[in-house]
Amino acid sequence: MIVFQYANQGSLHRFLSLNFRELYWKIKLNQLVDISKNLIKVHEAEYVHGDFHSGNILQHRYLNGDLISYIADLGLSRKKDESDLEGSIYGVLPYVAPEVLNKQPYTITADIYSFGIIMTEISTGKPPHYDIEYDETLAIQIFNGLRPEFAKGTPECYIQLANQCMDDNPSNRPSASYIYNELTGWYNIVNRNAAKDENELIILKAFQSADTIIPTLSTKLPICSEDKLTSKLLNFKNLSKQVNSSFISPAKLSKTLDSTSIDLSISDDFSDDDNKIS
């Protein structure tokens, strides 16, 4: 039995929705450092998480004000060389890697893809593709390169790392250790508020500039049901060949959708009521 510490701030999704305007980049980077460190431990144990999204990342604030983030809900984790449960796909659609949607094995790199999606969510404070139904149309778009957008002012180095994580080609995605090292380096620069060289100065100024924009960002969301953000069994077939063109906007996908077919259904019988985001 695995026992987790009580998380008095709830899930990452909930925490972002309630506190986004107060979350400056020092805090965001610290959250991601914690999460990537946890992911290293999962992968070093030769496991994959298998259902990695912001509802399965918990937040706890100590009496001294320190905030920690950690990965939870390892119910679908398995050894990296174990096959999926009867080839099934389970998760929250926008966080599922495109190759997994195409019934390829769920590997460590699929967790990395999910981490990239989480990076976009921390940037914007909004769930990925919150304004689109999580249905077959979205599955087609993801499969053909659609990725969530970033908030205005998000530092370019951050965007580049997230895009690496969300690359169509799993072999191009970085390891959890690489992600941790990059994020830790940025956090240290921002935390000490000083640069040792020109490169660090560029990074520091980018995050400082991003901080000034946070109070101006809109966090108003349309009604987004808990059910939408709950892991489900995803069944699909006849997914068309993946287009290797990451980060396509919805407008550029319109022609693709006219000639692409997919049969994807979400089974309510397999919804995970115990893990709904609160």
Side-chain angles (χ1 to χ4, degrees):
M1 180 176 67
I2 299 176
V3 179
F4 292 104
Q5 174 182 316
Y6 170 67
N8 58 17
Q9 300 297 307
S11 70
L12 175 62
H13 165 70
R14 180 177 183 275
F15 186 79
L16 291 173
S17 66
L18 294 176
N19 302 282
F20 184 75
R21 288 281 179 84
E22 289 75 45
L23 296 179
Y24 291 93
W25 278 98
K26 176 182 173 180
I27 300 173
K28 294 181 180 184
L29 290 173
N30 189 52
Q31 288 177 303
L32 287 165
V33 167
D34 284 347
I35 298 166
S36 59
K37 187 175 183 178
N38 273 208
L39 193 59
I40 289 173
K41 293 179 180 179
V42 173
H43 290 175
E44 285 184 343
E46 298 191 341
Y47 275 80
V48 295
H49 187 283
D51 187 24
F52 194 26
H53 58 81
S54 62
N56 287 338
I57 298 170
L58 302 182
Q59 310 291 297
H60 182 80
R61 192 182 296 280
Y62 291 104
L63 292 177
N64 65 1
D66 288 349
L67 179 72
I68 63 168
S69 306
Y70 55 92
I71 297 172
D73 195 355
L74 298 172
L76 289 179
S77 65
R78 57 185 176 275
K79 283 288 188 179
K80 64 180 183 180
D81 55 354
E82 288 181 3
S83 60
D84 299 347
L85 298 174
E86 298 181 354
S88 60
I89 301 170
Y90 190 85
V92 180
L93 181 56
Y95 299 86
V96 179
E99 71 275 7
V100 177
L101 291 176
N102 197 32
K103 296 188 177 181
Q104 298 301 309
Y106 194 110
T107 67
I108 283 174
T109 59
D111 281 345
I112 299 298
Y113 177 89
S114 301
F115 190 94
I117 299 295
I118 291 165
M119 287 182 70
T120 70
E121 190 169 356
I122 286 179
S123 167
T124 63
K126 301 174 182 178
H129 309 305
Y130 66 91
D131 54 349
I132 303 175
E133 287 298 320
Y134 290 1
D135 58 13
E136 61 186 81
T137 299
L138 178 57
I140 295 170
Q141 292 176 326
I142 291 171
F143 195 68
N144 287 285
L146 179 68
R147 301 293 182 266
E149 296 180 348
F150 297 86
K152 179 182 178 182
T154 300
E156 185 60 30
C157 60
Y158 183 95
I159 293 174
Q160 289 178 0
L161 179 60
N163 283 346
Q164 280 184 272
C165 294
M166 298 184 292
D167 196 288
D168 281 340
N169 187 342
S171 64
N172 290 338
R173 297 172 195 158
S175 66
S177 294
Y178 178 88
I179 295 167
Y180 171 79
N181 289 334
E182 289 291 289
L183 292 168
T184 300
W186 300 340
Y187 172 78
N188 289 338
I189 294 169
V190 173
N191 185 46
R192 68 173 180 259
N193 196 30
K196 296 179 179 178
D197 54 41
E198 185 176 348
N199 183 57
E200 287 195 1
L201 182 60
I202 292 172
I203 292 171
L204 178 60
K205 286 184 175 180
F207 283 105
Q208 288 176 334
S209 176
D211 276 344
T212 66
I213 296 174
I214 288 175
T216 71
L217 298 176
S218 171
T219 56
K220 186 176 181 180
L221 296 174
I223 296 175
C224 193
S225 68
E226 291 182 354
D227 184 68
K228 185 175 183 179
L229 298 172
T230 300
S231 298
K232 292 180 174 65
L233 185 68
L234 308 175
N235 296 318
F236 63 90
K237 56 186 177 181
N238 298 328
L239 200 61
S240 64
K241 184 177 180 181
Q242 185 174 351
V243 178
N244 188 21
S245 52
S246 299
F247 327 125
I248 302 175
S249 67
K252 291 182 179 179
L253 281 166
S254 59
K255 292 184 179 180
T256 303
L257 295 180
D258 291 338
S259 59
T260 306
S261 62
I262 178 175
D263 178 10
L264 181 147
S265 61
I266 298 176
S267 173
D268 291 330
D269 294 337
F270 289 87
S271 63
D272 189 356
D273 293 332
D274 291 335
N275 292 316
K276 285 186 177 180
I277 298 171
S278 59

